[in-house]
Amino acid sequence: MLQKIKDFKELVMFEHSIFSLPFIFIAMITAQNGWFGFKLLIFGIIATLSARNFAMAFNRYADRKFDITNPRTQNRPSVDGRISPNGMLIFILVNAIIFVLIGYFINPLCFYISFPILIVLASYSLMKRFTSMAHLMLGLSLGLAPIAGVIAVLGYVPLWSVYLCLGVLFWVAGFDLLYSLQDIAHDKKEGLYSIPSIFGAQKAILISRIFHVFTIIFWGLFIYNANLGLYMYIGLLISMIALTYEHYLVRKDFNNIPKAFFVVNGYLGIVFLIFCIIDLIL
């Protein structure tokens, strides 16, 4: 049983939850102008994790025939036999049901939007077969987290949360684009659409930089529109430095891509959340 849990943890890359969790809490703290309560904290965590589990497991299920031919992914539990296709389907269904039920218990709007959110989360895995805009779809998948957080607290979508969503969208699309540099040869061989495989590595890096410029612009608009203060602008400045460092690592050596992807982006969301908390307290 413990081994099976480890296999599913590896399947959905559980540690990657660090990318979306801080931003749903930033949205909830900003919407409430402070602490939003333990009930929404627990519901927010469960909703985020179940949505991620659904999205990642669906991606692994849909991409089995591609992952088995990619040296970087051929040892995943979804392709080496540790988790069966039927096991993945059950896991996908269970997490979808959990996500919808959490939405039902929060408020009616959360329940209604849970269904289109699941469609968006599943769409990413299929888009790479016919368009290089799959990077933006992945960004939207994580960008919907703060929108869902705001709806959980307020029951509607204020403008500032849209700016926060767009910032997350371009942030995720930008670093996913850099991460996909590792798979250029494989994507070309399999006929998969990604910006690096279509436009080449150097243009992909340039597009990623443009995406991250948009990230800073939209997060700045979020801070301004939400009437947040100095400490959030300091957090924004640190985020800009972190993204600059990420691009420096990748430009210096493509072997630094995992470090840039996991370490820099993992800390970025946490730091932004910490400064959001400090801003609202002080």
Side-chain angles (χ1 to χ4, degrees), residues 6-250:
K6 290 179 180 179
D7 291 339
F8 274 102
K9 178 177 176 291
E10 182 181 344
L11 177 77
V12 300
M13 304 179 80
F14 188 78
E15 61 275 12
H16 287 190
S17 301
I18 197 65
F19 297 140
S20 53
L21 273 172
F23 288 94
I24 190 172
F25 292 140
I26 288 171
M28 294 169 79
I29 291 170
T30 304
Q32 188 65 40
N33 197 30
W35 175 236
F36 45 81
F38 284 104
K39 175 184 174 181
L40 286 182
L41 173 65
I42 295 171
F43 280 174
I45 292 173
I46 295 174
T48 303
L49 295 182
S50 60
R52 267 208 82 260
N53 288 343
F54 168 84
M56 293 298 292
F58 186 89
N59 176 267
R60 299 296 186 253
Y61 179 82
D63 281 1
R64 285 171 296 153
K65 68 176 183 179
F66 300 119
D67 288 345
I68 200 170
T69 61
N70 188 342
R72 186 178 63 82
T73 60
Q74 59 189 198
N75 293 322
R76 286 175 174 172
S78 51
V79 294
D80 66 6
R82 281 179 286 163
I83 300 177
S84 67
N86 287 339
M88 282 186 281
L89 285 175
I90 293 172
F91 186 76
I92 292 167
L93 180 61
V94 168
N95 279 280
I97 292 172
I98 292 173
F99 181 69
V100 171
L101 285 177
I102 288 294
Y104 176 80
F105 287 122
I106 295 176
N107 61 46
L109 185 54
C110 281
F111 173 68
Y112 296 139
I113 69 168
S114 65
F115 298 99
I117 285 177
L118 289 176
I119 293 174
V120 170
L121 294 178
S123 297
Y124 161 70
S125 301
L126 304 177
M127 285 189 69
K128 67 183 73 173
R129 290 157 170 77
F130 56 87
T131 175
S132 58
M133 293 297 102
H135 306 283
L136 291 170
M137 180 59 74
L138 178 64
L140 177 61
S141 298
L142 273 74
L144 288 174
I147 296 291
V150 165
I151 292 175
V153 175
L154 298 178
Y156 65 93
V157 181
L159 179 60
W160 59 260
S161 67
V162 177
Y163 291 138
L164 179 58
C165 167
L166 290 172
V168 173
L169 186 160
F170 283 108
W171 170 55
V172 173
F175 72 66
D176 181 64
L177 206 160
L178 294 178
Y179 194 69
S180 64
L181 289 169
Q182 302 173 101
D183 297 330
I184 291 179
H186 174 263
D187 289 349
K188 287 182 177 180
K189 178 182 176 182
E190 296 293 338
L192 294 173
Y193 292 83
S194 69
I195 288 178
S197 67
I198 299 298
F199 297 100
Q202 295 307 312
K203 287 185 179 179
I205 292 173
L206 176 60
I207 294 171
S208 176
R209 290 174 183 169
I210 294 171
F211 281 178
H212 284 158
V213 169
F214 284 147
T215 296
I216 298 303
I217 291 172
F218 282 118
W219 281 349
L221 289 171
F222 150 64
I223 295 170
Y224 176 79
N225 195 260
N227 295 315
L228 299 175
L230 173 64
Y231 292 98
M232 277 301 284
Y233 284 106
I234 295 174
L236 180 65
L237 177 61
I238 294 175
S239 298
M240 183 169 63
I241 294 171
L243 291 175
T244 302
Y245 178 62
E246 177 179 3
H247 285 274
Y248 164 76
L249 287 175
V250 174

